[in-house]
Amino acid sequence: PATIIGLLAFGIMVGWQYMPKQIKAVPSALVSVAVCTAIASFGNLDLARVKLSDGGDLIKLPIVPSDQIQGVIVGGLIIALVASVESLLSAVATDRLHTGPRANLDKELIGQGIANTVSGALGGLPVTGVIVRSSANIASGARSNLSATLHGVWIVVCVGALSTALEKIPLAALAGLLCFVGTKLVNVEHIRELAKHKELPVYVVTVLGVVGLDLLKGVGLGLGLAIFLLIRRLAHLEIRVDDSPEVQTIHLDGSLTFATVPKLSRELQRVRPGVLARIEMHADFMDHAAYEALHSWEVGHLRTGGDVEVIEHHQDWYRTVKEDGPRIMRSTVRANEKPIAVLAGMGPAKVNEP
């Protein structure tokens, strides 16, 4: 019965999209829950239903156990982390669903902190933003922050005045409703874009982690994989050498970082003394360690009587330093030596040139 009710709720939500405009004025979620509740009640189906507290011990004063203070602190930090991550992700996702003002993430966290402090002091549950509820709010025509406040007002009114009716709602109907709203959040074009940029594994791992474990673990797994892939990308450098009697051309494709310095240094040391070395850079990033390695090699190669040309095909790292000065990228050359950034794009040059 739970499966049937859940699928029915989902099906009503799907079918309601194709109803005439006049009929769609009634919220599909309300119709879905009402129909499923009526069927479950008249059919006397054995289903888990919404259960409300009797209110006898609803408000409690906070009690901090003296022998478990460490557990309280750890639990508070975990809840703060989970609630913050969920609220921030919800705010970012919600901004993509409407064209109104963007969310102020700092104010969101400040408000959430105040709400959780008050809720915790009264014995309440943690307060957090939820994407499914927020997207349902937007789909129902919400246009301002007042919609979130009214959402709380309607809950208080319904719990106070319609508690008997609410306790007849089967949880399976609410599950079907949430599944439908959740599927509406899946953006196929966004997934294709991620696949195009080879970031789909992070998306898939995060989704599986959130669904199979929980939000915090899912986000943690996705973040860990993203960091691993980033380090792997930063450690990727393809070097190809075109050799001729007078010119050696070294093609650098990838990222010039500290992780690729050993590989870069080995290839540069193989350049014959006295020849013209042409560096063809197709680099998407360059850090100071790689800069220093390339600079030190160039200084040594120029001293052997050779020449160096650095040709940049993407971003002009050297040219930028040349125009803006050595404040951006300093090196440890002596006063009578030109930085490699200045030599870039100028063709052959001598180190001791004034």
Side-chain angles (χ1 to χ4, degrees):
T3 303
I4 295 175
I5 290 297
L7 292 176
L8 177 61
F10 190 93
I12 292 176
M13 295 288 292
V14 173
W16 205 255
Q17 302 176 94
Y18 305 99
M19 291 294 180
K21 187 175 181 180
Q22 295 78 5
I23 298 179
K24 287 199 299 184
V26 181
S28 58
L30 181 61
V31 175
S32 176
V33 173
V35 170
C36 292
T37 301
I39 293 176
S41 297
F42 289 119
N44 197 24
L45 301 179
D46 184 17
L47 294 171
R49 301 174 189 268
V50 173
K51 185 176 181 181
L52 302 177
S53 173
D54 58 9
D57 56 352
L58 188 60
I59 298 180
K60 301 178 181 179
L61 295 177
I63 299 175
V64 180
S66 58
D67 57 339
Q68 297 179 355
I69 188 65
Q70 183 177 357
V72 173
I73 295 176
V74 173
L77 292 176
I78 293 177
I79 291 176
L81 180 59
V82 173
S84 299
V85 169
E86 185 168 6
S87 292
L88 293 177
L89 292 176
S90 299
V92 172
T94 302
D95 280 344
R96 297 180 179 178
L97 301 178
H98 65 87
T99 58
R102 306 292 92 179
N104 186 323
L105 301 183
D106 289 336
K107 292 180 67 175
E108 290 286 340
L109 290 182
I110 292 173
Q112 179 176 285
I114 296 174
N116 275 316
T117 300
V118 175
S119 177
L122 298 177
L125 294 174
V127 177
T128 177
V130 181
I131 181 56
V132 177
R133 186 176 63 214
S134 301
S135 61
N137 213 6
I138 294 174
S140 299
R143 293 291 181 270
S144 70
N145 293 338
L146 186 60
S147 61
T149 303
L150 288 176
H151 172 266
V153 172
W154 296 131
I155 288 180
V156 173
V157 171
C158 290
V159 170
L162 303 172
S163 58
T164 302
L166 291 178
E167 290 186 332
K168 295 183 180 295
I169 298 176
L171 295 180
L174 299 181
L177 171 64
L178 291 176
C179 286
F180 173 80
V181 178
T183 56
K184 296 290 288 184
L185 295 174
V186 179
N187 190 327
V188 178
E189 290 300 323
H190 180 60
I191 295 176
R192 291 174 180 170
E193 191 71 16
L194 290 174
K196 185 187 303 182
H197 293 283
K198 299 181 179 180
E199 295 180 355
L200 188 58
V202 177
Y203 181 92
V204 173
V205 168
T206 303
V207 169
L208 294 178
V210 170
V211 174
L213 300 173
D214 58 46
L215 177 70
L216 184 60
K217 294 178 182 177
V219 173
L221 288 174
L223 182 61
L225 179 59
I227 294 175
F228 171 77
L229 294 178
L230 175 62
I231 295 176
R232 182 182 177 185
R233 180 183 178 187
L234 291 177
H236 174 73
L237 177 64
E238 183 178 344
I239 302 178
R240 181 169 52 88
V241 180
D242 294 333
D243 201 356
S244 67
E246 297 181 355
V247 180
Q248 278 187 281
T249 303
I250 304 173
H251 301 271
L252 305 177
D253 296 296
S255 299
L256 292 169
T257 67
F258 67 94
T260 59
V261 165
K263 183 177 181 180
L264 175 65
S265 299
R266 285 195 302 269
E267 293 297 331
L268 292 176
Q269 293 303 322
R270 297 175 183 174
V271 177
R272 299 190 307 275
V275 302
L276 170 61
R278 182 177 291 115
I279 310 297
E280 299 271 357
M281 289 178 54
H282 299 265
D284 53 16
F285 180 76
M286 184 177 190
D287 68 4
H288 191 69
Y291 164 78
E292 286 291 343
L294 189 57
H295 168 250
S296 299
W297 167 82
E298 181 172 10
V299 170
H301 188 71
L302 293 174
R303 284 173 175 167
T304 66
D307 294 320
V308 176
E309 292 181 357
V310 179
I311 303 174
E312 301 169 273
H313 294 279
H314 291 326
Q315 185 170 343
D316 295 333
W317 304 97
Y318 292 160
R319 188 172 302 173
T320 300
V321 177
K322 174 185 174 182
E323 294 175 354
D324 296 342
R327 294 183 303 276
I328 295 179
M329 195 178 295
R330 294 182 179 275
S331 93
T332 56
V333 296
R334 294 190 299 274
N336 64 339
E337 295 178 349
K338 279 184 175 291
I340 189 171
V342 177
L343 297 174
M346 299 178 59
K350 299 299 181 183
V351 177
N352 58 356
E353 200 172 324

